[in-house]
């Protein structure tokens, strides 16, 4: 008698490995990065310090932070050949395709001359250096992507600005008020890390084959693009655009639910009673609404949330407040998921290094439910193959 395999579709509920990088606790609705509650980090730290924390396990002291900032500043420029390749990506391709392509080229440039795939996975020191380079250059790639679509040239980075302010400078050509820089910094911190989510797991699977860090990040970018994952922040804005204003929420939702549409920005595989990151991002959105005098955005946000939660009991995730927040800051909707890449690259690379420090090839099993064994018409096995078949038959008996 054959027993039915215990299949965990989507790996739901499966614990694959330990991680010391973050803890998602749906019971207490909390998220810890290396033990620190994420809302405390968002309220007190620059994004560079959180990147350091994820990579090293401790917050940096002043000297360590200054050293990381010096390195980050030295890799901020968009290299001319990377710009040239971005320029060859069709202007109407999705910016995630552009970011994925640019990240791939950055990896190929960095690993050029490596003779054998046996050296690809690199030492811990090499991988930390690669992580810092990617972290530093991604803002230039994302910022240029938005500018290119608006027919504008890239803007050179400014050495007198920290990561968040410089990112906004390279995108818009000015540095907005502190309230905007602060909201952007918070969003980067909230997006940085979230345990074994789909893109991080993708990165760990690729790293587990002893491929290189860049390949793992490129794969992760592909996973993040999907609307069930990072693409949801962009999708939220499309929904807001469809609805228009708060007075249209009820009929819009009636229609959407009648057609069994998924409402992007709501629901989560792990959190079932609300996403721990939402209150911090919603507070940042509120400051932006106030700053820009855009009360109608908050009205639409609140109305859709209260209607959907009361009808379905499904709560907003981080993409729900971050989508409208990025819109208010001036980012174009297709740029939202690339912003998520720039933030999450810190978590991905921390996980890649953790995976390599205690590696086991990730290779699950599957249960076959295809056709029974059959044979190609006219095939006559030679002697060696006949012996193999006979042994297989013997083993099956
Ligand atoms: N709108 C409508 N129905 C939903 C939604 C939603 N946003 N989310 C879940 N449901 C329903 C779903 O239709 C299903 O109903 P039924 O049992 O009647 O078929 C039930 O709730 C369970 O949903 P599921 O998709 O099987 O649950 P899951 O744990 O696999 O889903 C999810 C998690 C994030 C894929 C899902 O909630 C979803 O598709 N949400 C919309 C996309 C989204 O906002 N993604 C961002 C996730 S958080 C940020 C990130 O990690 O990138």
């Amino acid at each position: 008698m054959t027993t039915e395999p215990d299949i965990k579709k989507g790996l739901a509920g499966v614990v694959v490995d330990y991680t010391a990088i973050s803890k998602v606790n749906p019971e207490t609705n909390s998220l810890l990065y290396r033990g620190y509650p994420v809302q405390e980090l968002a309220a007190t730290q620059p994004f560079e310090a959180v990147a350091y924390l994820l990579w090293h396990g401790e917050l940096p002291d002043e000297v360590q932070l200054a050293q990381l900032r010096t390195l980050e500043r030295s890799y901020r420029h968009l290299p001319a050949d990377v710009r040239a390749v971005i320029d060859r990506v069709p202007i109407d391709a999705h910016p995630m395709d552009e970011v994925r392509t640019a990240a791939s080229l950055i990896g190929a440039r960095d690993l050029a001359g490596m003779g054998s795939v046996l050296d690809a996975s690199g030492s811990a020191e090499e991988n930390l250096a690669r992580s810092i380079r990617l972290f530093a250059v991604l803002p230039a790639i994302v910022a240029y992507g938005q500018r290119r679509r608006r027919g504008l040239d890239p803007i050179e980075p400014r050495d007198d600005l920290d990561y968040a302010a410089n990112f906004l400078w390279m995108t818009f050509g000015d540095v907005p008020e502190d309230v905007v820089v602060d909201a952007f910094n918070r969003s980067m911190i909230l997006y940085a890390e979230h345990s074994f989510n789909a893109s991080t797991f993708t990165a760990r699977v690729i790293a587990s084959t002893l491929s290189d860090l860049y390949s793992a990040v490129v794969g992760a970018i592909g996973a993040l693009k999907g609307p069930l994952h990072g693409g949801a922040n962009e999708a939220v804005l499309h929904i807001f655009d469809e609805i228009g204003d708060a007075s249209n929420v009820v009929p819009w939702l009636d229609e959407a639910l009648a057609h069994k549409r998924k409402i992007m920005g709501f629901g989560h595989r792990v959190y079932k009673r609300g996403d721990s990151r939402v209150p911090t991002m919603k507070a940042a959105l509120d400051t932006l609404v106030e700053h820009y005098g855009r009360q109608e955005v908050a009205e639409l946000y609140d109305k859709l949330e209260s209607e959907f939660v009361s009808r379905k009991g499904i709560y907003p995730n981080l993409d729900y407040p971050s989508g409208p927040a990025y819109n208010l800051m001036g980012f174009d909707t297709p740029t939202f998921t690339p912003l998520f890449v720039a933030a999450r690259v810190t978590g991905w690379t921390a996980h890649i290094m953790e995976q390599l420090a205690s590696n086991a090839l990730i290779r699950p099993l599957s249960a076959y439910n295809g056709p029974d064994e059959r044979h190609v018409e006219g095939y006559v096995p030679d002697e060696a193959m006949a012996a193999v078949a006979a042994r297989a038959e013997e083993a099956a008996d």
Side-chain angles (χ1 to χ4, degrees):
M1 196 183 94
T2 54
T3 50
E4 273 300 306
D6 183 16
I7 293 187
K8 305 281 189 203
K9 197 93 169 145
L11 296 182
V14 175
V15 179
V16 176
D17 205 345
Y18 287 101
T19 180
I21 300 169
S22 67
K23 179 177 180 182
V24 181
N25 192 340
E27 308 307 321
T28 54
N29 220 359
S30 67
L31 170 62
L32 309 178
Y33 291 176
R34 303 281 191 183
Y36 291 105
V38 72
Q39 64 276 15
E40 289 180 25
L41 294 169
T44 59
Q45 301 298 316
F47 184 47
E48 301 91 308
V50 173
Y52 186 100
L53 171 70
L54 293 173
W55 290 325
H56 296 275
E58 295 297 335
L59 281 167
D61 60 25
E62 269 180 36
V63 174
Q64 290 163 331
L65 182 58
Q67 283 169 346
L68 175 60
R69 283 182 156 152
T70 302
L71 268 178
E72 186 260 320
R73 273 159 216 216
S74 70
Y75 297 124
R76 274 178 179 179
H77 293 261
L78 183 66
D81 55 342
V82 177
R83 179 188 172 178
V85 165
I86 290 176
D87 285 338
R88 297 193 66 168
V89 175
I91 195 79
D92 56 354
H94 193 280
M96 284 295 277
D97 297 341
E98 189 180 81
V99 174
R100 194 191 58 233
T101 303
S104 186
L105 177 63
I106 300 271
R109 289 163 96 246
D110 200 26
L111 304 182
M114 183 170 285
S116 155
V117 288
L118 290 173
D119 304 324
S121 69
S123 66
E125 293 71 32
E126 282 167 335
N127 281 326
L128 181 60
R130 292 169 188 174
S131 305
I132 295 170
R133 283 202 284 279
L134 269 178
F135 162 71
V137 76
L138 273 164
I141 293 167
V142 175
Y144 178 50
Q146 168 150 326
R147 293 186 67 76
R148 185 172 85 103
R149 267 173 291 285
R150 291 181 176 195
L152 301 168
D153 283 330
I155 291 180
E156 285 298 303
R158 267 178 51 186
D159 277 353
D160 60 320
L161 298 174
D162 293 345
Y163 175 98
N166 179 61
F167 200 146
L168 296 168
W169 160 257
M170 285 194 297
T171 310
F172 302 112
D174 69 36
V175 180
E177 292 77 357
D178 287 352
V179 60
V180 180
V181 178
D182 181 60
F184 184 64
N185 183 63
R186 284 172 197 247
S187 76
M188 291 282 115
I189 292 174
L190 294 170
Y191 266 135
E193 162 57 13
H194 213 228
S195 76
F196 279 31
N197 56 86
S199 57
T200 301
F201 190 59
T202 302
R204 290 190 75 128
V205 170
I206 295 173
S208 83
T209 70
L210 299 186
S211 181
D212 65 277
L213 178 139
Y214 295 107
S215 297
V217 167
V218 169
I221 294 172
L224 192 74
K225 182 181 174 187
L228 296 189
H229 191 9
N233 60 6
E234 166 179 341
V236 169
L237 237 283
H238 292 306
I239 285 178
F240 273 38
D241 288 344
E242 260 183 61
I243 300 175
D245 72 78
S247 65
N248 297 329
V249 163
V250 171
W252 183 88
L253 198 54
D254 288 344
E255 176 83 10
L257 293 179
H259 287 92
K260 299 211 172 312
R261 268 181 73 172
K262 277 221 163 157
I263 312 303
M264 296 302 169
F266 289 87
H268 200 276
R269 172 61 67 76
V270 181
Y271 300 115
K272 295 301 176 197
R273 284 180 290 164
D275 180 328
S276 60
R277 304 162 292 182
V278 166
T280 308
M281 196 61 222
K282 174 61 165 58
L285 172 62
D286 287 343
T287 60
L288 293 170
V289 163
E290 177 82 25
H291 175 73
Y292 291 109
R294 296 284 304 279
Q295 201 48 44
E296 78 283 3
V297 175
E299 283 163 17
L300 172 51
Y301 180 105
D302 291 340
K303 183 71 180 163
L304 181 59
E305 176 183 356
S306 64
E307 279 293 323
F308 188 68
V309 172
S310 70
R311 293 190 201 191
K312 300 286 286 185
I314 297 174
Y315 293 88
N317 58 56
L318 174 59
D319 292 325
Y320 190 59
S322 68
Y326 287 148
N327 175 262
L328 288 179
M329 288 176 203
F331 286 103
D332 295 337
T333 306
T335 307
F336 296 177
T337 315
L339 294 172
F340 194 162
V341 171
R344 186 59 61 88
V345 75
T346 56
W348 289 334
T349 50
H351 276 275
I352 292 165
M353 291 186 274
E354 183 177 66
Q355 177 70 34
L356 290 172
S358 162
N359 192 42
L361 176 71
I362 298 174
R363 203 299 186 193
L365 297 176
S366 54
Y368 178 71
N369 64 357
D372 286 340
E373 180 171 346
R374 49 190 169 161
H375 297 281
V376 176
E377 221 181 295
Y379 170 68
V380 181
D382 62 19
E383 225 171 81
M385 289 314 293
V388 170
R391 277 202 300 277
E393 234 167 75
E394 253 175 59
D397 284 346

